[in-house]
Each structure stands twice: as structure tokens, then as C-alpha cells.
Amino acid sequence: DQQVKQNSPSLSVQEGRISILNCDYTNSMFDYFLWYKKYPAEGPTFLISISSIKDKNEDGRFTVFLNKSAKHLSLHIVPSQPGDSAVYFCAASGVDSNYQLIWGAGTKLIIKP
Amino acid sequence: GAGVSQSPRYKVAKRGQDVALRCDPISGHVSLFWYQQALGQGPEFLTYFQNEAQLDKSGLPSDRFFAERPEGSVSTLKIQRTQQEDSAVYLCASSWGGTGGRGSNQPQHFGDGTRLSIL
């Protein structure tokens, strides 16, 4: 039973355009969400997070939106740059287990020049 | 170094052998985690330490898996009598606070992992 789902295995976006990565979750106890970026042969790198008391968090080119009623979050990258090409993971944690991160399977983002 | 360091980067072992994977967390980080990542999947939680105390080992797949952090810094994940299904990337992460990375100022920071292949 996948509690965190990233339904798009890959996404291709033109350089300079907006990249939108999506994530859905099923556990209503999740209250903290994170996005990580991963290059090949490296560990995941933290990008941005959001608490369930917010619906938006912005950090430079990265914005995360949270829709609690739909149990959906998205990561917007604008403008997209070649160095953004990587696998992006959505992760969540909940009050019932406040240290375990539950991860999606990842979306491979390809930025085309 | 400033980041989480894992060794070895790659480990090949024959089925039935014991292996030990090492993690050096960021200095001063209270929380330490081990994850297992299969190809094409996200990491899966194995175990969590707060300082030297192992607070959760619910993710360890069998009693062949054992983790320790005796002095509250370096951690070792040991797998006994390895099986082919143990082949995966093993990731270690640490975070500053005792809440295991919750809160925007204390996310989990990851090492580059150990890729374990069991022949």
C-alpha cells in the first residue's frame, strides 16, 4: 500500500519554462512534507519542505503547494535550468510516526536545452 | 568533511557472507536514520537512532539486520548471512534535532549511500 505516490515516472521540460512535479498521499495523519532532489550515484539532497498548517512555501525558484483536501502537493520550478535535471522525490511524515519519512518512487525530470 | 559520509561506496559479497556498512553523520547531529533503496523506488525506512538509543527498528526486514550507534556518532549497519534480496543501496541520513528531521530548519541530510550487491 503506497502512502505516497508520484504517478509520473518522468517529465521533460524546455529550459526556461516551468516544471511542475506532482505528489499524492493517502494518510491523513501526514503533516509535514518534503521534496528531495537526487543525482545519479549521490544521496538525496533536501530542497524544500512544507508543514500542513501552510498551503504554500517558496524558496527562490522552488515553490511547494499543498492541497490538504485533495491530499496533493506539487513542486514548481521556475525557470527550469539544465542543472535541475535529476530525480525528484516527495516524502512525508506524520504525527503518528514523527521521524519516519515515507517516500514516493520519484519523478525523473529532464530539462531540454 | 561537512556532510554525511558512508563507506564503502560499493560492496560485493557472496550469499551467506556477513557485511558491515558504516555511516559518519554530520558532527553534532542527534538523529540518525538508515534507509534501504531498491532500484526505481524511493528509500524505505529501516531504523532510527536518537544519540546512542535505537528508538525504532521496525523497518529492519529480518533479524539478520542489526544496527548500532554505541557512542552516539558513527553508526554501523550489519547484515548477517546475506541473501540476494538484500541487494540495494543503503542510505544513511542525519538531522540536527531530536525530532528526526521534522521542521523546516532541520531536514534529514543524506550520505551518498552504499551499493550492496549479493552474488
Side-chain angles (χ1 to χ4, degrees), chain A residues 2 31-32 34 36 38 41-46 49 57 89 93-95 97-106, chain B residues 9-10 33 35 37 40-45 48 55-56 58 91 99-104 107-112:
Chain A
Q2 272 190 296
D31 64 347
Y32 182 57
L34 307 92
Y36 280 80
K38 186 181 182 305
E42 294 184 10
T45 302
F46 171 74
S49 63
N57 189 26
F89 289 96
S93 71
V95 292
S97 180
N98 65 3
Y99 40 79
Q100 286 193 28
L101 289 181
I102 309 299
W103 297 71
Chain B
R9 286 298 312 276
Y10 303 93
F33 308 81
Y35 291 87
Q37 185 174 20
Q41 300 297 317
E44 289 199 4
F45 171 82
Y48 164 60
L55 298 189
D56 188 346
S58 63
L91 292 165
T99 58
R102 285 169 59 83
S104 59
Q108 295 181 25
H109 297 271
F110 283 79
D112 288 338

Side-chain angles (χ1 to χ4, degrees), chain B residues 1-19:
Chain B
V4 177
S5 177
Q6 291 187 247
S7 61
R9 286 298 312 276
Y10 303 93
K11 177 69 178 178
V12 179
K14 291 183 179 178
R15 187 173 55 184
Q17 288 183 328
D18 298 349
V19 298

Side-chain angles (χ1 to χ4, degrees), chain B:
Chain B
V4 177
S5 177
Q6 291 187 247
S7 61
R9 286 298 312 276
Y10 303 93
K11 177 69 178 178
V12 179
K14 291 183 179 178
R15 187 173 55 184
Q17 288 183 328
D18 298 349
V19 298
L21 312 180
R22 177 188 169 103
C23 173
D24 270 283
I26 294 172
S27 178
H29 276 196
V30 168
S31 297
L32 185 145
F33 308 81
W34 284 98
Y35 291 87
Q36 181 189 61
Q37 185 174 20
L39 191 64
Q41 300 297 317
E44 289 199 4
F45 171 82
L46 291 177
T47 188
Y48 164 60
F49 289 87
Q50 189 176 108
N51 295 308
E52 69 278 3
Q54 189 175 22
L55 298 189
D56 188 346
K57 54 181 181 179
S58 63
L60 296 176
S62 76
D63 58 7
R64 297 185 295 104
F65 287 70
F66 172 77
E68 60 183 3
R69 193 186 185 198
E71 297 177 0
S73 55
V74 171
S75 177
T76 304
L77 176 67
K78 298 178 180 177
I79 309 174
Q80 298 176 322
R81 305 180 302 281
T82 52
Q83 304 293 319
Q84 284 191 318
E85 61 263 27
D86 300 334
S87 296
V89 174
Y90 290 84
L91 292 165
C92 176
S94 70
S95 65
W96 179 79
T99 58
R102 285 169 59 83
S104 59
N105 62 340
Q106 47 177 307
Q108 295 181 25
H109 297 271
F110 283 79
D112 288 338
T114 294
R115 181 175 294 278
L116 176 64
S117 298
I118 305 301
L119 305 179

